[in-house]
Amino acid sequence: MAELTGTPGKIELNFRSGKGIEEFEQKFALTNSEAAAFLRGLAGEIEGGGEVSVQYGSINISINPVPPVKVEVEYEKDELEIEIKLKAKKEEEKEEKEEKEEKEEKEEKEKSDPESAEK
């Protein structure tokens, strides 16, 4: 989990009944060491595959991203802006993957124990 420990700033939140949080944006002011620790945590999450989580206090936002990771670099008037975008898997893709994995597990089990397939 990539943990933010800096000073929180402006927050924007869009919530829809029945769907939960649709949009969340929060700005943070971090020291150099806080920023480096956060980026190391984020890098570890991305490199590990699977779910990527960002936490500040009791707020935890997680997604299961699909490649590619998009990085946007912008330089303007002595300010360097680096934006990292992770896109979440769609629910249908998750369900299809889970169904495929279950089917493969069942087939492997049947191959290793043919008697159980006959019952």
Side-chain angles (χ1 to χ4, degrees):
M1 177 173 317
E3 189 169 354
L4 285 160
T5 57
T7 305
K10 183 180 175 184
I11 186 170
E12 292 180 29
L13 178 68
N14 290 329
F15 184 85
R16 183 180 287 179
S17 180
K19 293 201 174 203
I21 295 174
E22 290 191 330
E23 291 182 32
F24 173 85
E25 182 177 334
Q26 174 115 37
K27 298 184 185 221
F28 289 87
L30 307 173
T31 65
N32 289 350
S33 61
E34 288 170 334
F38 171 72
L39 291 171
R40 278 192 296 274
L42 184 60
E45 293 272 305
I46 294 169
E47 187 173 42
E51 189 173 88
V52 173
S53 299
V54 175
Q55 180 179 4
Y56 177 75
S58 63
I59 298 172
N60 184 5
I61 298 176
S62 301
I63 66 166
N64 196 355
V66 294
V69 173
K70 294 184 178 180
V71 178
E72 181 179 319
V73 179
E74 183 179 328
Y75 176 78
E76 186 177 306
K77 295 186 181 179
D78 298 330
E79 182 175 271
L80 178 63
E81 182 177 332
I82 301 170
E83 187 174 308
I84 301 168
K85 292 185 181 184
L86 306 172
K87 188 167 184 160
K89 286 183 182 177
K90 294 182 180 169
E91 274 308 308
E92 300 101 30
E93 291 174 353
K94 287 182 194 176
E95 290 171 8
E96 287 173 9
K97 184 179 179 187
E98 288 171 3
E99 288 173 8
K100 183 179 177 184
E101 288 172 355
E102 287 174 11
K103 184 179 176 183
E104 288 171 355
E105 286 176 16
K106 184 178 177 183
E107 289 172 355
E108 284 297 316
K109 187 175 180 182
E110 288 173 357
K111 285 179 186 177
S112 64
D113 188 8
E115 290 179 16
S116 67
E118 294 174 6
K119 293 180 183 179

